[in-house]
Amino acid sequence: MYMSKNVHVLSRTLFAATGIHILGTLARSIVRMCIRDDSGLPDMANNTIWNLQLIIETVMLLLTIVVFWYARRRMHYYMDLVDDADKKEMGRLQEDQLGENLSALPARTILNLTEVWAVIFIGMRMVQEVASILYRRFAGDLFALFTKGIVNKKRRLVSIYNTTHGFKYIAMMCAILLGVMVTAIILHDKWMKIASVIVTIIFLGSFAFLDMQKMQMFGQSIGIVWTSVIFHVIETVGLVVVAIYLRWKYRGV
């Protein structure tokens, strides 16, 4: 069984879920700029910033759950219009009669892909938040060495913080790349496969070789951790590009 080429459940769901994360990222950035102190320690060491960010992440997660629940409900609504026993025969009839007016993939495959991305946006996001909590504990213990006077060179601690920061994002990063690759395999899309490989190389390169850099913004000195920057670009701009690409190239996806 197929759906109309004008019904884009997967790409619209990716748009909505990514839009939620873009708004959440902006909210987190505003919180950081308004509450940041002059201690020179990472923002995650500030309890007020951390607690507000947890609230924002919780709201984002709940909204994302609603988005994917609605998408799944909508897909089942369309699919339940035809009895299970008649779905294969309906698919053959649609292929013979409607041709280009059908979606590029069967409805069941689109539903499966939507559920794959739901696991990434919801399940792996929960894993990332647990990893963030554990990483904050590690960073707190690390910089406590400096504040207690045990270590007198903060630059070295900052270097350790920078080189380990990528571990905070690696689970979600792998999940996003896996989702893109699974989608590419099902669609037989070589460009999505190539893009996944390139993005992986860029992220690993920044993880292994790029040091933290400082820049002045709004009168404040901000440390740029490149693994963090690249990850947030991929989970926002990158996923928007994926959604646009799917909608542009594949009918009804």
Side-chain angles (χ1 to χ4, degrees), residues 30-57:
I30 292 172
V31 166
R32 288 186 176 189
M33 287 188 292
C34 293
I35 305 178
R36 178 178 283 117
D37 54 37
D38 297 324
S39 66
L41 297 178
D43 289 335
M44 66 167 53
N46 185 308
N47 288 329
T48 302
I49 293 177
W50 176 256
N51 290 332
L52 288 174
Q53 289 195 148
L54 280 182
I55 293 172
I56 293 171
E57 289 287 346

Short mmCIF file of all heavy atoms in Angstrom, two decimals, residues 30-57:
data_model
loop_
_atom_site.label_atom_id
_atom_site.label_comp_id
_atom_site.label_asym_id
_atom_site.label_seq_id
_atom_site.Cartn_x
_atom_site.Cartn_y
_atom_site.Cartn_z
N ILE A 30 20.60 31.84 25.08
CA ILE A 30 20.17 33.06 25.77
C ILE A 30 20.40 32.93 27.27
O ILE A 30 20.88 33.86 27.94
CB ILE A 30 18.69 33.35 25.46
CG1 ILE A 30 18.53 33.73 23.99
CG2 ILE A 30 18.17 34.47 26.36
CD1 ILE A 30 17.09 33.84 23.54
N VAL A 31 20.08 31.76 27.82
CA VAL A 31 20.30 31.51 29.25
C VAL A 31 21.77 31.66 29.59
O VAL A 31 22.14 32.30 30.59
CB VAL A 31 19.79 30.10 29.64
CG1 VAL A 31 20.31 29.71 31.01
CG2 VAL A 31 18.26 30.06 29.62
N ARG A 32 22.62 31.10 28.75
CA ARG A 32 24.06 31.17 29.02
C ARG A 32 24.56 32.62 28.98
O ARG A 32 25.35 33.04 29.83
CB ARG A 32 24.83 30.34 28.00
CG ARG A 32 24.67 28.84 28.19
CD ARG A 32 25.56 28.09 27.22
NE ARG A 32 25.50 26.65 27.43
CZ ARG A 32 26.31 25.78 26.85
NH1 ARG A 32 27.25 26.22 26.01
NH2 ARG A 32 26.20 24.49 27.09
N MET A 33 24.12 33.37 27.99
CA MET A 33 24.60 34.75 27.86
C MET A 33 24.11 35.62 29.01
O MET A 33 24.83 36.52 29.45
CB MET A 33 24.14 35.33 26.51
CG MET A 33 24.90 34.78 25.32
SD MET A 33 24.52 35.64 23.77
CE MET A 33 22.81 35.15 23.51
N CYS A 34 22.91 35.36 29.50
CA CYS A 34 22.34 36.21 30.55
C CYS A 34 22.87 35.88 31.94
O CYS A 34 22.93 36.76 32.81
CB CYS A 34 20.82 36.08 30.55
SG CYS A 34 20.02 36.75 29.07
N ILE A 35 23.26 34.62 32.16
CA ILE A 35 23.60 34.20 33.51
C ILE A 35 25.09 33.89 33.68
O ILE A 35 25.57 33.73 34.78
CB ILE A 35 22.75 32.97 33.92
CG1 ILE A 35 21.26 33.29 33.75
CG2 ILE A 35 23.01 32.52 35.34
CD1 ILE A 35 20.34 32.15 34.07
N ARG A 36 25.84 33.83 32.57
CA ARG A 36 27.25 33.47 32.65
C ARG A 36 28.00 34.36 33.66
O ARG A 36 27.82 35.57 33.69
CB ARG A 36 27.90 33.59 31.28
CG ARG A 36 29.40 33.28 31.28
CD ARG A 36 30.01 33.36 29.91
NE ARG A 36 29.67 32.18 29.12
CZ ARG A 36 28.94 32.20 28.01
NH1 ARG A 36 28.48 33.34 27.56
NH2 ARG A 36 28.70 31.09 27.34
N ASP A 37 28.87 33.72 34.46
CA ASP A 37 29.67 34.48 35.43
C ASP A 37 31.09 34.65 34.89
O ASP A 37 31.41 34.25 33.79
CB ASP A 37 29.68 33.78 36.80
CG ASP A 37 30.13 32.32 36.71
OD1 ASP A 37 31.03 32.03 35.89
OD2 ASP A 37 29.59 31.49 37.45
N ASP A 38 31.96 35.25 35.71
CA ASP A 38 33.33 35.54 35.31
C ASP A 38 34.34 34.59 35.94
O ASP A 38 35.53 34.92 36.05
CB ASP A 38 33.69 36.98 35.69
CG ASP A 38 32.82 38.01 34.96
OD1 ASP A 38 32.48 37.75 33.80
OD2 ASP A 38 32.48 39.04 35.58
N SER A 39 33.91 33.42 36.35
CA SER A 39 34.81 32.49 37.03
C SER A 39 35.80 31.84 36.08
O SER A 39 36.83 31.32 36.50
CB SER A 39 34.00 31.40 37.75
OG SER A 39 33.31 30.60 36.80
N GLY A 40 35.46 31.84 34.78
CA GLY A 40 36.33 31.18 33.81
C GLY A 40 36.07 29.69 33.71
O GLY A 40 36.72 28.99 32.92
N LEU A 41 35.14 29.16 34.49
CA LEU A 41 34.80 27.75 34.45
C LEU A 41 33.73 27.49 33.39
O LEU A 41 33.02 28.41 32.98
CB LEU A 41 34.29 27.30 35.83
CG LEU A 41 35.29 27.40 36.99
CD1 LEU A 41 34.62 26.98 38.29
CD2 LEU A 41 36.52 26.56 36.72
N PRO A 42 33.60 26.25 32.92
CA PRO A 42 32.57 25.94 31.92
C PRO A 42 31.18 26.29 32.42
O PRO A 42 30.91 26.26 33.63
CB PRO A 42 32.72 24.42 31.72
CG PRO A 42 34.10 24.10 32.18
CD PRO A 42 34.41 25.07 33.27
N ASP A 43 30.27 26.61 31.50
CA ASP A 43 28.91 26.98 31.87
C ASP A 43 28.20 25.87 32.63
O ASP A 43 27.34 26.13 33.47
CB ASP A 43 28.10 27.35 30.62
CG ASP A 43 28.56 28.67 30.03
OD1 ASP A 43 29.11 29.50 30.78
OD2 ASP A 43 28.38 28.88 28.81
N MET A 44 28.54 24.61 32.31
CA MET A 44 27.86 23.50 32.98
C MET A 44 28.20 23.43 34.47
O MET A 44 27.51 22.76 35.23
CB MET A 44 28.19 22.16 32.31
CG MET A 44 29.63 21.72 32.42
SD MET A 44 29.85 19.98 31.95
CE MET A 44 29.10 19.94 30.34
N ALA A 45 29.26 24.16 34.89
CA ALA A 45 29.60 24.20 36.31
C ALA A 45 28.71 25.16 37.09
O ALA A 45 28.69 25.13 38.32
CB ALA A 45 31.07 24.58 36.49
N ASN A 46 27.97 26.02 36.37
CA ASN A 46 27.06 26.97 36.99
C ASN A 46 25.72 26.27 37.24
O ASN A 46 25.03 25.87 36.30
CB ASN A 46 26.88 28.18 36.08
CG ASN A 46 26.04 29.28 36.71
OD1 ASN A 46 24.95 29.03 37.19
ND2 ASN A 46 26.55 30.50 36.68
N ASN A 47 25.35 26.11 38.50
CA ASN A 47 24.14 25.36 38.84
C ASN A 47 22.87 25.98 38.26
O ASN A 47 21.95 25.26 37.84
CB ASN A 47 24.01 25.24 40.36
CG ASN A 47 25.03 24.28 40.95
OD1 ASN A 47 25.43 23.32 40.30
ND2 ASN A 47 25.45 24.54 42.18
N THR A 48 22.79 27.31 38.24
CA THR A 48 21.60 27.97 37.72
C THR A 48 21.44 27.70 36.23
O THR A 48 20.36 27.33 35.75
CB THR A 48 21.68 29.49 37.96
OG1 THR A 48 21.82 29.75 39.36
CG2 THR A 48 20.42 30.18 37.45
N ILE A 49 22.53 27.86 35.48
CA ILE A 49 22.50 27.57 34.05
C ILE A 49 22.14 26.12 33.80
O ILE A 49 21.30 25.79 32.96
CB ILE A 49 23.85 27.92 33.40
CG1 ILE A 49 24.10 29.43 33.41
CG2 ILE A 49 23.91 27.39 31.96
CD1 ILE A 49 25.44 29.84 32.86
N TRP A 50 22.76 25.23 34.56
CA TRP A 50 22.53 23.80 34.37
C TRP A 50 21.07 23.42 34.63
O TRP A 50 20.47 22.69 33.83
CB TRP A 50 23.45 23.01 35.30
CG TRP A 50 23.24 21.53 35.25
CD1 TRP A 50 22.59 20.77 36.18
CD2 TRP A 50 23.65 20.63 34.21
NE1 TRP A 50 22.59 19.45 35.78
CE2 TRP A 50 23.22 19.34 34.59
CE3 TRP A 50 24.33 20.81 33.02
CZ2 TRP A 50 23.47 18.22 33.79
CZ3 TRP A 50 24.58 19.69 32.23
CH2 TRP A 50 24.15 18.41 32.61
N ASN A 51 20.50 23.92 35.71
CA ASN A 51 19.11 23.58 36.04
C ASN A 51 18.13 24.13 35.00
O ASN A 51 17.17 23.45 34.61
CB ASN A 51 18.76 24.11 37.42
CG ASN A 51 19.49 23.37 38.53
OD1 ASN A 51 19.82 22.19 38.37
ND2 ASN A 51 19.75 24.04 39.64
N LEU A 52 18.37 25.36 34.52
CA LEU A 52 17.51 25.92 33.49
C LEU A 52 17.62 25.14 32.19
O LEU A 52 16.62 24.91 31.49
CB LEU A 52 17.86 27.40 33.26
CG LEU A 52 17.44 28.37 34.38
CD1 LEU A 52 17.98 29.76 34.09
CD2 LEU A 52 15.93 28.40 34.53
N GLN A 53 18.83 24.70 31.87
CA GLN A 53 19.01 23.91 30.65
C GLN A 53 18.32 22.55 30.76
O GLN A 53 17.77 22.05 29.78
CB GLN A 53 20.49 23.73 30.35
CG GLN A 53 21.17 25.01 29.89
CD GLN A 53 22.52 24.78 29.26
OE1 GLN A 53 22.95 25.48 28.36
NE2 GLN A 53 23.22 23.77 29.73
N LEU A 54 18.33 21.96 31.94
CA LEU A 54 17.61 20.70 32.12
C LEU A 54 16.11 20.89 31.92
O LEU A 54 15.44 20.03 31.33
CB LEU A 54 17.88 20.14 33.52
CG LEU A 54 19.21 19.40 33.75
CD1 LEU A 54 19.28 18.89 35.17
CD2 LEU A 54 19.38 18.26 32.75
N ILE A 55 15.57 22.01 32.40
CA ILE A 55 14.15 22.30 32.20
C ILE A 55 13.85 22.45 30.70
O ILE A 55 12.86 21.90 30.19
CB ILE A 55 13.75 23.58 32.96
CG1 ILE A 55 13.83 23.34 34.47
CG2 ILE A 55 12.34 24.02 32.58
CD1 ILE A 55 13.63 24.59 35.30
N ILE A 56 14.71 23.19 30.00
CA ILE A 56 14.53 23.38 28.55
C ILE A 56 14.60 22.04 27.83
O ILE A 56 13.77 21.74 26.95
CB ILE A 56 15.59 24.35 28.00
CG1 ILE A 56 15.37 25.75 28.56
CG2 ILE A 56 15.56 24.37 26.47
CD1 ILE A 56 16.49 26.72 28.26
N GLU A 57 15.57 21.19 28.20
CA GLU A 57 15.71 19.88 27.56
C GLU A 57 14.48 19.01 27.81
O GLU A 57 14.04 18.28 26.92
CB GLU A 57 16.96 19.17 28.09
CG GLU A 57 18.28 19.77 27.61
CD GLU A 57 18.55 19.47 26.15
OE1 GLU A 57 17.87 18.60 25.58
OE2 GLU A 57 19.44 20.12 25.58
#
